[in-house]
Amino acid sequence: MSAEAADREAATSSRPCTPPQTCWFEFLLEESLLEKHLRKPCPDPAPVQLIVQFLEQASKPSVNEQNQVQPPPDNKRNRILKLLALKVAAHLKWDLDILEKSLSVPVLNMLLNELLCISKVPPGTKHVDMDLATLPPTTAMAILLYNRWAIRTIVQSSFPVKQAKPGPPQLSVMNQMQQEKELTENILKVLKEQASDSILVLEAALTLNKDLYVHTMRTLDLLAMEPGVVNGETESSPAGLKIKTEEMQCQVCYDLGTAYFQQGSANSAIYEKAREKFFRTKELISEIGSLSLHCTIDEKRLAGYCQACNVLVPSSDSTSQQLTPYSQVHICLRSGNYQEVIKIFIEDNLTFSLPVQFRQSVLRELFQKAQQGSEALDEICFKVCACNTVRDILEGRTISVQFNQLFLTPNKEKIDFLLEVCSRSINLEKASDSLKGNMAAFLKNVCLGLEDLQYVFMISSHELFITLLKDEEQKLLIDQMRKRCPRVNLCIKPVTSFYDIPASASVNIGQLEHQLILSVDPWRIRQILIELHGMTSERQFWTVSNKWEVPSVYSGVILGIKDSLTRDLVYILMAKGLHCSTVKDFSHAKQLFAACLELVTEFSPKLRQVMLNEMLLLDIHTHEAGTGQSGERPPSDLISRVRGYLEMRLPDIPLRQVIAEECVAFLLNWRENEYLTLQVPAFLLQSNPYVKLGQLLAATCKELPGPKESRRTAKDLWEVVVQICSVSSQHKRGSDGRVSLIKQRESTLGIMYRSELLSFIKKLREPLVLTIILSLFVKLHNVREDIVNDITAEHISIWPSSIPNLQSVDFEAVAITVKELVRYALAINPGNHSWLLIQADSYFAANQYSAALHYYLQAGAVCSDFFNKTVPPDVYTDQVAILCQFLREIDYKTAFKSLQEQNSHDAMDSYYDYIWDVTILEYLTYLHHKRGETDKRQIAIKAIGQTELNASNPEEVLQLAAQRRKKKFLQAMAKLYF
């Protein structure tokens, strides 16, 4: 409604006392009742809601006569709406805390840009190039408000945000949320690009020595008047709400401090700037008082920032004695002075000044560094953990699991340090009975947990132990130890040298076997075995752990070694090397294999070749798990060794099948097709089934671009796979002379079993090879007579279309194989649309329509930039069409039949905006009218009434409307499924 129309209506009708809820912003706009509304104690709607509504109405796009969407018009109504939004913000005194809490980033960005515009800031001019000292007070303040908000928004975006629990999926709400999210991200991107300029603007503001003014409702009204009045009162004179220099600088200092603090995570030197700004903020607050109307600083948060800066950047004039324990620990961690950290923790065991949580966080940080490869920190982790454990037991807490794990393999150094910590953590003259009792109980429990009696006597002979435990407790402990090991004579009094006390041989053997299990150092393993064989000749130490497994083809040769020490060493080195390779610890596996190779070279050429073969397999795994993942080709030496292994003809060498598999897969993955097709020796094709299969796959890849008639190898490959997937039947003649079928079993006529073929395929990564294998199995699946829905696949036309003996093929096994292969292929590359279509077709053929739709959508999304581009016609064919109107020729019969079904969901009408075919919409209108569904009928009528669906429009407009709705529908569907 125009302003003139409103005046005429007001003259002829009575004014309502309360505006209708649906048009309250129109009421305020037309009746100029904004100020009266804002003066209410609890205005409804709230001021921030007014800002949102005013700006939303002012930013609505328009549609011209050609049905093209245009930017919001710059008319009188929209200018008034923007002015009203600014007046509401002025009523809130431009308090960014209130505005940021209640307004989204896009809305607040629009509001502050309107403030810049009305404050005569030239559009397109960089704020950093403007001299704040020469600008009118309100203009300078508008620039400061915008740049303060920019910095605060960047800082706020770096904080983790707890995601709200989503409700039921509603397409309209989801679309709106997605649009707001994308808009926010775009604004943040711009703000971050301009962050350095915003910081310079705020730094320049700190040099101002004049008061500033911010717009009020009155000055905004004046700006809406004639230019002469504006220039006379709001620009050249101090009009508006006065902001004192100290108040402005206090807010700016705080905001700059938060910005510098956030940047400090990437550059620790910037923490010094943050510290300076925060401490300057504290000084200014003390000057202006914490009750300032225009300077609102969260003083608790400010105190937290200051404390953090004191830890991160201690003042240069403070000595180490003046630093807090927090600061001292942090400085030591940053400089790597871990011994000083241990000293601080031991001293803190007397004072209990550091919180337990802080000490635990330090230990976690050290553990993380140690796990990242810093082995030198293992000892430091134990020492810090020991300090924390003593603190825990002194305060009555239980011993941590971490300490028990680190103390699992005690040694003299660990016992000495633990006793030192215990002695320095308690003042026996001043300690309470409770502290003494806790310490005594801890030492006693440590003794009871030790197996090596030498270490027990280290503790029981220590002065602290003798002082804390009474004679009766010592006797009781000794009785307990005697029951556990009666052969050793324990004495109560401390002895001069605990090394002279004999230990049980069984205890020593057990400890050495435990170390043997844990060690991966080949030379340490050799040393332990020498010690064990020196203690007993009756044991076979390769049987110590049931986890040590060596392939049966090797074990016979290894266990045939006559020397027991050499036999144990070779077996254990190989078993540990194979285990390390399995868990991808390739560096230790290489060390173990190299040591084993050096050992067997001296006496067994057969085992030497075995180790060379295993080291070849290890090098293949190392390359594939390392640089091979980024596409870097393997070195030529490795390729030559792979070929050499396949061509090897040494008699009596035990060979593992998996090495041949890996070698052929390796050549296929790195496209060594020339070698596999032309250079492989003929005897290999007869003797090695994996080489035969690899040669057929490589040849098929080479012939694929040629004409169909030349694909002879494709037919050969087809016949090989069909033979592998065949079954043989066993028959039995009964007493009546009739022959009955007993069972079917996997045929032995193929070059390998189906499980072996599947295992081999799962070692392949080359996309073309995987695509060929998938298409072969899909074609084999489709030739089944009772198949209803075919599965489509790329290159499926190269295979024969029939099989002479269908009954011989195990089609159930073929179907299972297709599922496993597609699952494996998508794990290799989840974005291959042809593989996604195979998965979708498989689910569709199995009547799992929801899963099928998921993969159809995924296939379309990956090849159309999430439906921002047109989905290629070879991806969404007529057989894959998701809606009837997606077909090239719309299937009205199926569409009308589906709409007549009574089991459609209540929310079906939410999809009407995605229908572009007017005939379908007209049928929906008729259907809802027939059923008496008035609301749904109105929604359908509204959808028909959209101008861009008018049948009189040019064909290009209609196609654009269809494409837009198709895109939105597919994106909405994808969001529901992904």
Side-chain angles (χ1 to χ4, degrees):
M1 179 185 294
S2 66
E4 292 78 7
D7 291 340
R8 286 195 299 272
E9 186 174 338
T12 57
S13 62
S14 60
R15 297 179 179 177
C17 297
T18 305
Q21 188 66 24
T22 56
C23 59
W24 51 263
F25 61 88
E26 294 281 359
F27 182 80
L28 293 175
L29 171 64
E30 297 185 9
E31 301 293 337
S32 302
L33 297 178
L34 178 63
E35 295 183 35
K36 183 178 179 181
H37 176 79
L38 293 175
R39 284 196 296 268
K40 293 179 182 179
C42 298
D44 182 23
V48 288
Q49 292 176 319
L50 287 173
I51 294 175
V52 174
Q53 292 292 337
F54 287 146
L55 292 179
E56 280 186 355
Q57 291 296 316
S59 60
K60 277 188 176 180
S62 61
V63 180
N64 61 13
E65 295 179 355
Q66 288 76 31
N67 295 321
Q68 295 175 334
V69 178
Q70 300 291 324
D74 185 20
N75 53 28
K76 180 179 178 181
R77 180 179 183 275
N78 285 347
R79 288 194 295 272
I80 293 176
L81 284 167
K82 293 175 183 177
L83 180 64
L84 291 176
L86 292 171
K87 290 175 72 174
V88 176
H91 170 75
L92 298 173
K93 296 182 173 58
W94 301 99
D95 189 329
L96 287 180
D97 288 334
I98 296 175
L99 295 175
E100 289 171 341
K101 184 178 180 181
S102 306
L103 299 179
S104 65
V105 170
V107 172
L108 193 45
N109 178 61
M110 191 187 309
L111 179 70
L112 292 176
N113 274 295
E114 288 300 327
L115 176 64
L116 292 173
C117 182
I118 205 167
S119 299
K120 301 299 185 289
V121 177
T125 305
K126 285 189 174 183
H127 297 172
V128 72
D129 297 335
M130 303 178 75
D131 184 3
L132 296 178
T134 61
L135 293 175
T138 51
T139 304
M141 193 62 195
I143 291 174
L144 287 185
L145 272 172
Y146 178 84
N147 287 281
R148 277 186 57 215
W149 168 75
I151 290 300
R152 290 159 66 106
T153 304
I154 293 170
V155 172
Q156 189 65 33
S157 69
S158 67
F159 297 153
V161 178
K162 183 178 180 181
Q163 297 293 333
K165 186 176 181 181
Q170 298 181 8
L171 286 175
S172 58
V173 176
M174 288 173 62
N175 287 338
Q176 184 179 354
M177 291 173 62
Q178 182 64 26
Q179 289 173 3
E180 184 171 320
K181 181 182 177 182
E182 291 174 358
L183 187 55
T184 301
E185 289 174 353
N186 291 335
I187 293 171
L188 271 173
K189 182 180 178 182
V190 174
L191 294 181
K192 288 176 181 177
E193 290 173 353
Q194 301 173 351
S196 56
D197 287 354
S198 294
I199 289 175
L200 290 175
V201 170
L202 297 182
E203 287 283 9
L206 296 179
T207 63
L208 295 176
N209 55 3
K210 66 176 183 179
D211 295 338
L212 297 180
Y213 292 82
V214 67
H215 280 300
T216 61
M217 297 179 74
R218 179 174 177 275
T219 59
L220 290 170
D221 278 334
L222 292 173
L223 286 173
M225 298 170 64
E226 293 78 7
V229 179
V230 173
N231 293 331
E233 187 166 351
T234 63
E235 293 191 4
S236 59
S237 64
L241 184 64
K242 182 178 179 180
I243 308 295
K244 293 182 179 179
T245 306
E246 295 80 6
E247 292 177 320
M248 178 272 291
Q249 290 184 350
C250 186
Q251 289 279 183
V252 170
C253 274
Y254 179 75
D255 293 336
L256 280 172
T258 60
Y260 288 140
F261 192 88
Q262 185 233 357
Q263 294 175 356
S265 59
N267 183 359
S268 57
I270 299 181
Y271 282 128
E272 179 63 43
K273 291 185 178 181
R275 182 182 185 280
E276 175 191 334
K277 298 303 178 188
F278 286 133
F279 279 85
R280 177 57 181 157
T281 304
K282 290 182 69 174
E283 293 174 2
L284 289 168
I285 287 177
S286 63
E287 291 178 17
I288 64 179
S290 58
L291 300 178
S292 169
L293 293 176
H294 310 306
C295 179
T296 55
I297 303 290
D298 186 343
E299 295 191 43
K300 288 184 179 180
R301 195 173 186 85
L302 174 62
Y305 274 123
C306 290
Q307 185 177 6
C309 288
N310 273 335
V311 172
L312 295 166
V313 189
S315 179
S316 57
D317 59 351
S318 61
T319 63
S320 59
Q321 287 77 15
Q322 295 172 317
L323 293 174
T324 65
Y326 295 100
S327 302
Q328 293 178 9
V329 171
H330 185 78
I331 292 169
C332 292
L333 290 174
R334 288 175 61 188
S335 62
N337 188 0
Y338 301 118
Q339 296 299 332
E340 187 65 24
V341 174
I342 295 168
K343 179 182 175 183
I344 294 170
F345 277 20
I346 293 175
E347 292 172 354
D348 183 69
N349 284 351
L350 289 169
T351 61
F352 295 175
S353 59
L354 290 173
V356 175
Q357 293 81 1
F358 174 73
R359 295 173 60 130
Q360 290 172 345
S361 69
V362 172
L363 180 59
R364 281 196 299 271
E365 182 178 341
L366 292 173
F367 267 128
Q368 290 172 357
K369 290 182 179 178
Q371 290 170 356
Q372 291 169 359
S374 181
E375 295 181 358
L377 286 179
D378 290 343
E379 180 184 353
I380 299 298
C381 287
F382 169 76
K383 291 184 175 181
V384 173
C385 185
C387 294
N388 286 353
T389 300
V390 173
R391 166 74 179 271
D392 288 338
I393 61 103
L394 287 174
E395 294 187 300
R397 288 186 291 275
T398 58
I399 299 174
S400 68
V401 175
Q402 290 173 327
F403 177 80
N404 288 327
Q405 290 175 337
L406 292 173
F407 206 61
L408 197 61
T409 55
N411 54 37
K412 179 180 179 297
E413 291 73 23
K414 288 184 178 180
I415 300 291
D416 279 337
F417 180 79
L418 184 62
L419 290 172
E420 178 190 355
V421 175
C422 291
S423 301
R424 292 172 58 186
S425 299
I426 187 168
N427 188 334
L428 293 175
E429 296 179 359
K430 299 180 181 180
S432 64
D433 292 337
S434 174
L435 287 179
K436 292 178 182 178
N438 290 341
M439 181 66 79
F442 172 68
L443 293 174
K444 187 167 63 175
N445 287 331
V446 171
C447 286
L448 291 171
L450 290 170
E451 293 181 358
D452 194 327
L453 299 179
Q454 296 176 2
Y455 299 148
V456 174
F457 278 100
M458 285 181 66
I459 298 174
S460 63
S461 61
H462 195 272
E463 181 182 356
L464 180 64
F465 182 93
I466 297 171
T467 304
L468 290 176
L469 269 76
K470 300 175 183 178
D471 291 342
E472 295 80 11
E473 292 176 315
Q474 294 184 37
K475 289 179 181 178
L476 180 61
L477 176 62
I478 297 227
D479 288 338
Q480 290 175 310
M481 299 296 293
R482 184 177 288 114
K483 292 176 182 178
R484 197 175 72 179
C485 190
R487 291 178 291 167
V488 179
N489 181 24
L490 298 172
C491 53
I492 298 174
K493 295 181 180 180
V495 293
T496 306
S497 176
F498 54 84
Y499 292 110
D500 297 332
I501 301 174
S504 167
S506 63
V507 172
N508 282 340
I509 290 176
Q511 288 180 341
L512 286 172
E513 287 179 343
H514 184 67
Q515 293 177 30
L516 184 64
I517 292 172
L518 296 178
S519 180
V520 288
D521 180 359
W523 307 115
R524 177 60 183 151
I525 292 170
R526 177 177 176 274
Q527 181 184 3
I528 293 171
L529 283 173
I530 291 172
E531 293 182 41
L532 287 170
H533 278 271
M535 299 173 73
T536 177
S537 60
E538 300 174 357
R539 297 280 303 277
Q540 293 181 333
F541 293 104
W542 63 270
T543 63
V544 165
S545 173
N546 59 4
K547 301 292 184 183
W548 293 340
E549 296 179 355
V550 168
S552 57
V553 292
Y554 298 159
S555 59
V557 181
I558 295 173
L559 297 180
I561 299 173
K562 294 180 179 180
D563 181 69
S564 58
L565 173 59
T566 305
R567 180 174 61 244
D568 287 342
L569 185 54
V570 172
Y571 190 98
I572 293 171
L573 287 175
M574 178 174 281
K576 284 179 173 287
L578 290 171
H579 173 74
C580 288
S581 179
T582 302
V583 299
K584 301 188 184 307
D585 184 1
F586 300 126
S587 59
H588 281 123
K590 197 173 187 69
Q591 293 174 15
L592 291 160
F593 281 167
C596 191
L597 174 63
E598 183 180 350
L599 177 63
V600 300
T601 299
E602 300 175 0
F603 65 89
S604 175
K606 185 181 295 186
L607 284 176
R608 178 182 180 274
Q609 188 59 50
V610 166
M611 292 313 305
L612 289 173
N613 296 345
E614 290 297 332
M615 292 186 77
L616 170 61
L617 180 60
L618 176 63
D619 288 343
I620 290 175
H621 288 163
T622 303
H623 180 267
E624 298 293 77
T627 55
Q629 288 189 335
S630 60
E632 182 178 333
R633 281 191 62 79
S636 56
D637 171 64
L638 181 55
I639 296 176
S640 298
R641 288 166 59 200
V642 169
R643 294 179 179 180
Y645 173 83
L646 292 175
E647 297 171 12
M648 182 176 61
R649 301 183 70 175
L650 295 176
D652 300 328
I653 299 296
L655 300 175
R656 280 211 295 158
Q657 176 179 295
V658 68
I659 302 180
E661 285 185 64
E662 292 283 359
C663 286
V664 176
F666 178 82
L667 294 175
L668 285 170
N669 286 334
W670 294 106
R671 296 175 292 281
E672 291 291 320
N673 295 337
E674 289 293 329
Y675 172 77
L676 287 169
T677 54
L678 302 176
Q679 302 173 28
V680 172
F683 77 90
L684 272 180
L685 299 176
Q686 303 298 324
S687 61
N688 194 322
Y690 295 102
V691 175
K692 175 67 175 177
L693 184 62
Q695 189 243 7
L696 291 173
L697 283 168
T700 304
C701 288
K702 285 183 63 178
E703 293 182 0
L704 195 58
K708 186 174 181 180
E709 302 80 36
S710 67
R711 296 170 191 160
R712 181 180 301 276
T713 51
K715 183 181 179 183
D716 294 340
L717 179 59
W718 167 268
E719 291 174 351
V720 166
V721 173
V722 168
Q723 193 69 56
I724 293 173
C725 295
S726 297
V727 291
S728 58
S729 303
Q730 288 187 346
H731 299 82
K732 181 179 180 181
R733 187 178 298 276
S735 57
D736 56 356
R738 288 184 297 179
V739 177
S740 60
L741 178 66
I742 296 179
K743 60 180 178 180
Q744 291 184 329
R745 62 174 56 189
E746 200 168 345
S747 174
T748 57
L749 299 178
I751 62 173
M752 63 181 69
Y753 289 113
R754 187 182 63 87
S755 58
E756 294 173 333
L757 173 62
L758 191 59
S759 172
F760 171 73
I761 295 172
K762 288 186 177 180
K763 292 178 172 61
L764 299 174
R765 293 181 294 99
E766 169 60 23
L768 180 57
V769 178
L770 284 173
T771 300
I772 287 173
I773 294 172
L774 274 170
S775 68
L776 190 155
F777 274 97
V778 166
K779 183 65 175 182
L780 191 55
H781 170 275
N782 289 347
V783 299
R784 187 173 179 175
E785 290 180 338
D786 58 346
I787 200 73
V788 177
N789 296 304
D790 280 353
I791 300 176
T792 58
E794 202 172 359
H795 307 307
I796 200 169
S797 61
I798 69 173
W799 311 112
S801 56
S802 62
I803 299 175
N805 188 5
L806 282 174
Q807 291 76 16
S808 66
V809 178
D810 187 351
F811 285 106
E812 290 185 7
V814 170
I816 294 172
T817 304
V818 170
K819 290 180 181 178
E820 291 192 42
L821 290 182
V822 177
R823 191 181 302 116
Y824 168 73
L826 289 177
I828 296 294
N829 182 6
N832 188 306
H833 72 269
S834 66
W835 299 348
L836 289 167
L837 286 175
I838 294 175
Q839 183 74 298
D841 284 351
S842 300
Y843 279 120
F844 189 85
N847 298 327
Q848 299 180 34
Y849 302 120
S850 179
L853 181 55
H854 171 89
Y855 283 99
Y856 284 132
L857 288 168
Q858 200 169 338
V862 298
C863 62
S864 64
D865 190 18
F866 199 70
F867 303 112
N868 285 304
K869 301 174 183 176
T870 303
V871 179
D874 60 332
V875 176
Y876 280 177
T877 62
D878 282 356
Q879 286 74 29
V880 185
I882 298 175
L883 289 180
C884 297
Q885 60 176 354
F886 275 62
L887 298 169
R888 293 180 178 85
E889 295 292 334
I890 298 177
D891 186 357
Y892 290 114
K893 180 179 179 181
T894 303
F896 295 163
K897 182 179 178 182
S898 300
L899 293 173
Q900 288 174 359
E901 293 179 359
Q902 295 297 319
N903 59 353
S904 61
H905 297 289
D906 290 339
M908 184 180 70
D909 51 347
S910 63
Y911 292 91
Y912 289 178
D913 284 340
Y914 303 123
I915 300 176
W916 60 86
D917 186 79
V918 176
T919 304
I920 294 178
L921 287 170
E922 289 174 344
Y923 183 78
L924 280 169
T925 306
Y926 158 75
L927 198 62
H928 290 313
H929 175 73
K930 182 179 178 182
R931 294 176 179 174
E933 297 168 342
T934 307
D935 293 341
K936 293 183 178 182
R937 178 174 175 270
Q938 289 300 320
I939 295 173
I941 291 173
K942 183 180 177 182
I944 295 175
Q946 296 176 89
T947 53
E948 54 188 16
L949 296 183
N950 193 318
S952 302
N953 287 337
E955 184 63 26
E956 305 84 55
V957 174
L958 294 174
Q959 288 182 0
L960 181 62
Q963 288 298 329
R964 187 179 302 161
R965 283 161 175 76
K966 186 182 296 186
K967 166 190 168 182
K968 288 184 178 180
F969 173 75
L970 290 171
Q971 288 179 339
M973 291 291 291
K975 289 173 185 175
L976 290 176
Y977 275 86
F978 297 168

